[in-house]
Amino acid sequence: MRLLIVNPNTTASMTAAIGASARAVAGPGTEVVAVNPGEGPASIENEDDERRCIPGLLEEIHRAARGATPPDAYVIACFGDPGLDQVRAAVDVPVLGIAQAAMHAAALSAGSFSVVTSMSATVPTAWTLAKTYTPSQCLGVYACDIPVLRIDSDPATVEPIGDLCERALAQDGSRAIVLGCAAMATFAAPLTERLGVPVVDGVVAATLLAEALVAMRRVNR
C-alpha cells in the first residue's frame, strides 16, 4: 500500500522526522511518502496557524490524488487534525488525523490517558478533540510551552516534556500519555521506558491504523 503523510507546516526537517517515524513501524509492503506544503506557517501553535495551513494541506492532498499512483490512505500529521473533514470529503480512501489516531489507540490500550502538548494556545483544541473522539477517557491536557520548532531541533527537550508527563500521570491518575505534537514523535520510546506506561505518538498510531483500515477494505471487496 501507499501511504501519504502530510505535515501541514512548511518545516522540512519535521517532515523528514515524521516520515522516518512512520517508516520505522510500517510493514514491508507499505510505501510511506511524507510531504509538506511550500507555503504556510512554519509551525502550527494556535488556531490561526491551523486555519492558515489548510489551503497548503489541501493542495498536497489534491496533487497526490490526481497522481499516477494515488495513495491508499492519508495521514494529517498535526495534532489539531486541521482540515480532517475537508480531506475526507475530497478522497474516497481512509484519512487519519494523528490526534484521533493517538487518542483512540491510548483509550483502547490503556483505558485512560493524559495529553502533553506544545503551547498553551493548543490546549482548548486538544480538549475539544478529546471530548469528541474519546468522551470520557482523556483526564487532562497539559502544555510544556516549548515552541514546536525547538522541540523539532533540540532532543534535550525530552527531559522537561518527560517531567510534565510525570506530573500529568500523578495528577490525573491516568494510565497512558498521548504526545500532542508531531515534533515529539521521536520521544515516545524513551518516555515509555522512563514512565513505565504507554506513551502514544500519533504518527505511529496513524500509520499502523491506516495499514489496518486499508487491509480491511481489501478484505471486504
Side-chain angles (χ1 to χ4, degrees):
M1 65 165 279
R2 181 178 174 88
L3 174 63
L4 181 71
I5 302 180
V6 183
N7 169 22
N9 72 45
T10 61
T11 300
S13 62
M14 194 180 304
T15 305
I18 288 167
S21 294
R23 292 184 191 99
V25 299
T30 298
E31 177 190 5
V32 174
V33 179
V35 300
N36 58 260
E39 296 183 359
S43 63
I44 299 172
E45 300 181 345
N46 53 53
E47 290 184 0
D48 183 59
D49 290 337
E50 289 195 4
R51 286 192 294 270
R52 291 193 299 120
C53 84
I54 290 176
L57 164 67
L58 292 175
E59 183 178 347
E60 294 299 325
I61 297 295
H62 291 309
R63 180 182 295 114
R66 293 192 302 264
T69 309
D72 298 293
Y74 299 83
V75 169
I76 300 172
C78 171
F79 197 76
D81 289 355
L84 182 60
D85 290 339
Q86 293 100 309
V87 177
R88 285 179 171 160
V91 299
D92 61 356
V93 297
V95 180
L96 293 95
I98 62 171
Q100 187 174 34
M103 290 178 183
H104 281 299
L108 288 168
S109 64
S112 63
F113 62 89
S114 301
V115 175
V116 170
T117 187
S118 54
M119 306 301 288
S120 293
T122 67
V123 169
T125 296
W127 264 122
T128 297
L129 294 178
K131 295 299 183 184
T132 300
Y133 298 150
T134 52
S136 60
Q137 287 91 348
C138 181
L139 304 184
V141 179
Y142 302 82
C144 64
D145 283 318
I146 302 173
V148 171
L149 295 182
R150 183 181 165 202
I151 295 171
D152 176 56
S153 63
D154 184 2
T157 55
V158 70
E159 296 302 326
I161 290 170
D163 293 343
L164 182 56
C165 290
E166 286 186 342
R167 293 197 295 274
L169 291 168
Q171 181 166 322
D172 295 342
S174 51
R175 300 180 62 185
I177 292 289
V178 165
L179 296 176
C181 176
M184 298 178 185
T186 59
F187 296 167
L191 289 179
T192 295
E193 183 176 355
R194 170 180 169 177
L195 301 171
V197 300
V199 177
V200 181
D201 159 51
V203 173
V204 167
T207 298
L208 296 175
L209 285 171
E211 290 182 317
L213 291 173
V214 170
M216 289 174 60
R217 286 166 64 96
R218 290 174 175 173
V219 167
N220 292 331
R221 284 178 179 171

